[in-house]
PDB file of all heavy atoms in Angstrom:
ATOM      1  N   LYS A  18      31.357 -79.840 105.655  1.00 96.00           N
ATOM      2  CA  LYS A  18      32.625 -79.500 105.003  1.00 96.00           C
ATOM      3  C   LYS A  18      32.953 -78.027 105.193  1.00 96.00           C
ATOM      4  O   LYS A  18      32.063 -77.172 105.142  1.00 96.00           O
ATOM      5  CB  LYS A  18      32.579 -79.833 103.509  1.00 96.00           C
ATOM      6  CG  LYS A  18      33.924 -79.610 102.808  1.00 96.00           C
ATOM      7  CD  LYS A  18      33.932 -80.088 101.367  1.00 96.00           C
ATOM      8  CE  LYS A  18      35.300 -79.878 100.724  1.00 96.00           C
ATOM      9  NZ  LYS A  18      35.341 -80.303  99.308  1.00 96.00           N
ATOM     10  N   ALA A  19      34.237 -77.766 105.399  1.00 97.00           N
ATOM     11  CA  ALA A  19      34.738 -76.400 105.497  1.00 97.00           C
ATOM     12  C   ALA A  19      35.722 -76.148 104.370  1.00 97.00           C
ATOM     13  O   ALA A  19      36.565 -76.998 104.087  1.00 97.00           O
ATOM     14  CB  ALA A  19      35.438 -76.190 106.840  1.00 97.00           C
ATOM     15  N   VAL A  20      35.589 -74.998 103.714  1.00 97.00           N
ATOM     16  CA  VAL A  20      36.506 -74.610 102.641  1.00 97.00           C
ATOM     17  C   VAL A  20      37.040 -73.209 102.945  1.00 97.00           C
ATOM     18  O   VAL A  20      36.268 -72.268 103.136  1.00 97.00           O
ATOM     19  CB  VAL A  20      35.811 -74.627 101.264  1.00 97.00           C
ATOM     20  CG1 VAL A  20      36.713 -74.013 100.198  1.00 97.00           C
ATOM     21  CG2 VAL A  20      35.432 -76.048 100.872  1.00 97.00           C
ATOM     22  N   LEU A  21      38.359 -73.085 102.978  1.00 97.00           N
ATOM     23  CA  LEU A  21      39.021 -71.803 103.200  1.00 97.00           C
ATOM     24  C   LEU A  21      39.547 -71.295 101.868  1.00 97.00           C
ATOM     25  O   LEU A  21      40.202 -72.032 101.133  1.00 97.00           O
ATOM     26  CB  LEU A  21      40.178 -71.985 104.189  1.00 97.00           C
ATOM     27  CG  LEU A  21      40.879 -70.715 104.680  1.00 97.00           C
ATOM     28  CD1 LEU A  21      39.936 -69.877 105.536  1.00 97.00           C
ATOM     29  CD2 LEU A  21      42.138 -71.084 105.478  1.00 97.00           C
ATOM     30  N   ILE A  22      39.223 -70.031 101.538  1.00 97.00           N
ATOM     31  CA  ILE A  22      39.694 -69.450 100.277  1.00 97.00           C
ATOM     32  C   ILE A  22      40.587 -68.246 100.558  1.00 97.00           C
ATOM     33  O   ILE A  22      40.496 -67.616 101.614  1.00 97.00           O
ATOM     34  CB  ILE A  22      38.534 -69.036  99.355  1.00 97.00           C
ATOM     35  CG1 ILE A  22      37.685 -67.934  99.990  1.00 97.00           C
ATOM     36  CG2 ILE A  22      37.676 -70.237  98.999  1.00 97.00           C
ATOM     37  CD1 ILE A  22      36.631 -67.340  99.065  1.00 97.00           C
ATOM     38  N   ASP A  23      41.448 -67.931  99.563  1.00 96.00           N
ATOM     39  CA  ASP A  23      42.340 -66.787  99.707  1.00 96.00           C
ATOM     40  C   ASP A  23      41.777 -65.591  98.945  1.00 96.00           C
ATOM     41  O   ASP A  23      40.647 -65.614  98.461  1.00 96.00           O
ATOM     42  CB  ASP A  23      43.750 -67.143  99.238  1.00 96.00           C
ATOM     43  CG  ASP A  23      43.811 -67.505  97.749  1.00 96.00           C
ATOM     44  OD1 ASP A  23      42.810 -67.285  97.023  1.00 96.00           O
ATOM     45  OD2 ASP A  23      44.859 -68.025  97.304  1.00 96.00           O
ATOM     46  N   GLU A  24      42.582 -64.544  98.821  1.00 95.00           N
ATOM     47  CA  GLU A  24      42.141 -63.312  98.146  1.00 95.00           C
ATOM     48  C   GLU A  24      41.817 -63.530  96.678  1.00 95.00           C
ATOM     49  O   GLU A  24      41.095 -62.738  96.070  1.00 95.00           O
ATOM     50  CB  GLU A  24      43.233 -62.250  98.255  1.00 95.00           C
ATOM     51  CG  GLU A  24      43.396 -61.653  99.623  1.00 95.00           C
ATOM     52  CD  GLU A  24      44.503 -60.618  99.641  1.00 95.00           C
ATOM     53  OE1 GLU A  24      45.683 -61.011  99.544  1.00 95.00           O
ATOM     54  OE2 GLU A  24      44.193 -59.413  99.730  1.00 95.00           O
ATOM     55  N   ASN A  25      42.366 -64.588  96.095  1.00 93.00           N
ATOM     56  CA  ASN A  25      42.095 -64.889  94.693  1.00 93.00           C
ATOM     57  C   ASN A  25      40.925 -65.844  94.535  1.00 93.00           C
ATOM     58  O   ASN A  25      40.682 -66.372  93.452  1.00 93.00           O
ATOM     59  CB  ASN A  25      43.346 -65.500  94.048  1.00 93.00           C
ATOM     60  CG  ASN A  25      44.521 -64.537  94.050  1.00 93.00           C
ATOM     61  OD1 ASN A  25      44.368 -63.363  93.705  1.00 93.00           O
ATOM     62  ND2 ASN A  25      45.694 -65.018  94.462  1.00 93.00           N
ATOM     63  N   PHE A  26      40.209 -66.077  95.632  1.00 93.00           N
ATOM     64  CA  PHE A  26      39.005 -66.923  95.654  1.00 93.00           C
ATOM     65  C   PHE A  26      39.304 -68.385  95.352  1.00 93.00           C
ATOM     66  O   PHE A  26      38.439 -69.133  94.908  1.00 93.00           O
ATOM     67  CB  PHE A  26      37.949 -66.390  94.671  1.00 93.00           C
ATOM     68  CG  PHE A  26      37.752 -64.902  94.757  1.00 93.00           C
ATOM     69  CD1 PHE A  26      38.219 -64.066  93.765  1.00 93.00           C
ATOM     70  CD2 PHE A  26      37.130 -64.335  95.856  1.00 93.00           C
ATOM     71  CE1 PHE A  26      38.067 -62.687  93.858  1.00 93.00           C
ATOM     72  CE2 PHE A  26      36.973 -62.960  95.962  1.00 93.00           C
ATOM     73  CZ  PHE A  26      37.441 -62.133  94.959  1.00 93.00           C
ATOM     74  N   LEU A  27      40.536 -68.790  95.609  1.00 92.00           N
ATOM     75  CA  LEU A  27      40.929 -70.170  95.370  1.00 92.00           C
ATOM     76  C   LEU A  27      40.886 -70.953  96.681  1.00 92.00           C
ATOM     77  O   LEU A  27      41.351 -70.460  97.721  1.00 92.00           O
ATOM     78  CB  LEU A  27      42.336 -70.238  94.784  1.00 92.00           C
ATOM     79  CG  LEU A  27      42.519 -69.588  93.410  1.00 92.00           C
ATOM     80  CD1 LEU A  27      43.997 -69.600  93.023  1.00 92.00           C
ATOM     81  CD2 LEU A  27      41.672 -70.298  92.365  1.00 92.00           C
ATOM     82  N   PRO A  28      40.354 -72.179  96.662  1.00 93.00           N
ATOM     83  CA  PRO A  28      40.383 -73.006  97.874  1.00 93.00           C
ATOM     84  C   PRO A  28      41.825 -73.334  98.260  1.00 93.00           C
ATOM     85  O   PRO A  28      42.607 -73.795  97.426  1.00 93.00           O
ATOM     86  CB  PRO A  28      39.627 -74.274  97.456  1.00 93.00           C
ATOM     87  CG  PRO A  28      38.801 -73.864  96.266  1.00 93.00           C
ATOM     88  CD  PRO A  28      39.625 -72.830  95.564  1.00 93.00           C
ATOM     89  N   ILE A  29      42.171 -73.064  99.513  1.00 96.00           N
ATOM     90  CA  ILE A  29      43.548 -73.299  99.949  1.00 96.00           C
ATOM     91  C   ILE A  29      43.630 -74.320 101.081  1.00 96.00           C
ATOM     92  O   ILE A  29      44.711 -74.819 101.391  1.00 96.00           O
ATOM     93  CB  ILE A  29      44.233 -71.990 100.392  1.00 96.00           C
ATOM     94  CG1 ILE A  29      43.420 -71.289 101.484  1.00 96.00           C
ATOM     95  CG2 ILE A  29      44.442 -71.077  99.188  1.00 96.00           C
ATOM     96  CD1 ILE A  29      44.112 -70.078 102.091  1.00 96.00           C
ATOM     97  N   ALA A  30      42.501 -74.639 101.711  1.00 97.00           N
ATOM     98  CA  ALA A  30      42.490 -75.654 102.766  1.00 97.00           C
ATOM     99  C   ALA A  30      41.049 -76.103 102.974  1.00 97.00           C
ATOM    100  O   ALA A  30      40.104 -75.375 102.637  1.00 97.00           O
ATOM    101  CB  ALA A  30      43.063 -75.106 104.071  1.00 97.00           C
TER     102      ALA A  30
END
Side-chain angles (χ1 to χ4, degrees):
K18 185 173 181 181
V20 171
L21 188 67
I22 63 172
D23 63 11
E24 288 180 289
N25 297 314
F26 314 107
L27 297 174
I29 56 173

